[in-house]
Amino acid sequence: MTQQASTAVQQTANGGQVATQRNPVDILKSMMNAESVQEQFKNALGKNSATFVASVIDLYNGDSNLQLCNPKQVVMEALKAATLHLPINKALGYAFIIPFKNSKKDEKGNWIKVYEPTFQMGYKGYIQLAMRTGQYRTINADVVYDGELRKVNKLTGEIAFDGERKSDKVIGYFCYFELMNGFSKTLYMTVEQMANHAKRYSKAITSDKDVTVEKLLNLANLPVSPDSNKVGWMGNFHGMAQKTVIRNLLSKYGYLSVEMQNAITNDYEGDETSQREILTDNYANKQLIDAEDVSFESVSEHHTESEQQTATIDPGY
């Protein structure tokens, strides 16, 4: 039962009172049914808001660790996905709300472990947002098997993956894109580079001394499962690695709509503990939740003259 769950007072047979904790799923449902909350989702999703709200409740109801999080925070993270028009169904792989066990100080100053929900993008979500801009002719990311990497041109950045595959051993990950104006770029990271990246930057891993680079490398030896609905480095190393090369390449060289800027900012805040190299000045669509009456207030979007109109290709929301 979540520590943040509100309490209800019941009368006992002898006239006394006893405080009982409410079911966290019921708390979340009541929040999602609040008029102010419904309005936020309608503003983001229009006629599809009811379907998205139902998916949030289903996700929360089916994840016991997520139920240990503050329901208000879960709604906040869900709003991030809603403003990006990305579904949070794990099976689809566009975006996720992941419960992280973080260290916090309680009222007495003691360090305790508390579950907190965090919005994270999936690699399919990044590809979807890139498609919406209408600026990408091609974008692709995949694993690289032993033997496929033939040549790396350090001067031009061109990488040839047309070698003959020798085995099912994954040696690295790549992302490639070409813009409509002809500009193209490729990023390749070895399995070793990816494992060290995860150990250094991932919020869930840096705080876990039991997770070593060697253990991450062992995860890279597992079969590639493109349709896996598992999340996080420990659950789906290959999926997180593909997301990492996409995010790193797009944030450095790609065409970024304001929507993509917000997605990358949110994802860095959720996934990494390092200082961000990406745009935070244009961080928009933040949602504030009042801790007492569960009222919602939208923060104004800060647009610049350089913002471009994005296409409207949606995976379902």
Side-chain angles (χ1 to χ4, degrees):
M1 187 69 67
T2 177
Q3 295 178 346
Q4 294 87 358
S6 62
T7 59
V9 177
Q10 296 181 346
Q11 295 291 334
T12 63
N14 60 7
Q17 291 183 337
V18 59
T20 60
Q21 287 187 315
R22 292 174 58 193
N23 186 317
V25 177
D26 292 336
I27 297 174
L28 182 80
K29 287 181 179 179
S30 64
M31 288 181 182
M32 300 298 284
N33 289 328
E35 184 177 350
S36 57
V37 179
Q38 291 281 335
E39 187 67 23
Q40 291 292 327
F41 283 102
K42 287 180 181 178
N43 289 339
L45 298 166
K47 63 181 181 180
N48 295 314
S49 61
T51 303
F52 187 89
V53 167
S55 72
V56 175
I57 296 174
D58 287 342
L59 175 69
Y60 192 74
N61 188 47
D63 192 328
S64 58
N65 285 334
L66 199 59
Q67 292 173 26
L68 296 174
C69 301
N70 188 323
K72 300 181 184 69
Q73 295 177 352
V74 173
V75 178
M76 282 183 62
E77 299 306 295
L79 279 167
K80 294 178 182 179
T83 56
L84 296 173
H85 288 210
L86 292 175
I88 56 172
N89 187 320
K90 291 181 180 179
L92 297 177
Y94 287 95
F96 308 95
I97 299 178
I98 303 174
F100 283 116
K101 201 171 186 179
N102 299 327
S103 296
K104 293 278 187 178
K105 280 189 176 181
D106 62 15
E107 297 177 353
K108 298 180 180 179
N110 299 318
W111 286 99
I112 59 173
K113 293 289 187 178
V114 179
Y115 276 99
E116 294 182 312
T118 303
F119 167 82
Q120 285 196 346
M121 294 279 292
Y123 75 90
K124 293 180 182 178
Y126 275 114
I127 293 175
Q128 177 64 212
L129 294 184
M131 290 169 56
R132 291 182 195 172
T133 68
Q135 298 296 320
Y136 290 83
R137 177 177 285 114
T138 303
I139 181 168
N140 186 33
D142 206 345
V143 302
V144 179
Y145 292 100
D146 181 29
E148 290 184 331
L149 177 61
R150 184 175 61 82
K151 182 178 66 174
V152 177
N153 188 322
K154 191 172 183 178
L155 179 63
T156 64
E158 296 178 349
I159 306 174
F161 298 108
D162 54 358
E164 184 177 351
R165 178 173 168 177
K166 298 178 181 178
S167 69
D168 291 336
K169 179 180 175 60
V170 176
I171 64 170
Y173 308 86
F174 81 90
C175 179
Y176 167 83
F177 73 76
E178 180 184 357
L179 296 179
M180 298 300 292
N181 62 13
F183 176 77
S184 63
K185 201 70 178 177
T186 304
L187 173 64
Y188 171 71
M189 293 180 68
T190 67
V191 167
E192 290 76 15
Q193 288 174 323
M194 195 62 69
N196 280 283
H197 172 93
K199 181 59 182 174
R200 180 178 179 184
Y201 296 120
S202 173
K203 179 188 299 184
I205 293 177
T206 53
S207 59
D208 191 341
K209 296 181 180 179
D210 292 332
V211 180
T212 63
V213 172
E214 289 72 22
K215 183 174 290 187
L216 291 168
L217 289 173
N218 289 333
L219 293 175
N221 291 327
L222 295 175
V224 178
S225 180
D227 298 324
S228 174
N229 60 2
K230 295 182 179 180
V231 298
W233 287 100
M234 303 305 293
N236 190 355
F237 184 92
H238 298 302
M240 287 294 291
Q242 290 181 65
K243 185 190 83 167
T244 298
V245 289
I246 294 172
R247 182 179 65 187
N248 289 358
L249 182 62
L250 293 182
S251 63
K252 190 171 184 179
Y253 292 106
Y255 174 92
L256 300 181
S257 63
V258 172
E259 187 179 45
M260 290 183 69
Q261 294 173 26
N262 296 336
I264 293 174
T265 300
N266 284 332
D267 199 38
Y268 267 102
E269 289 180 348
D271 183 41
E272 299 192 352
T273 56
S274 65
Q275 290 186 346
R276 284 70 172 171
E277 298 178 353
I278 53 170
L279 313 109
T280 56
D281 292 339
N282 292 323
Y283 182 44
N285 295 322
K286 286 184 179 178
Q287 310 293 337
L288 299 180
I289 300 182
D290 188 287
E292 295 299 326
D293 59 11
V294 202
S295 63
F296 284 64
E297 177 184 359
S298 296
V299 176
S300 300
E301 299 180 7
H302 302 284
H303 297 299
T304 64
E305 294 181 358
S306 63
E307 292 178 8
Q308 303 291 327
Q309 181 69 31
T310 61
T312 55
I313 306 174
D314 291 326
Y317 295 115

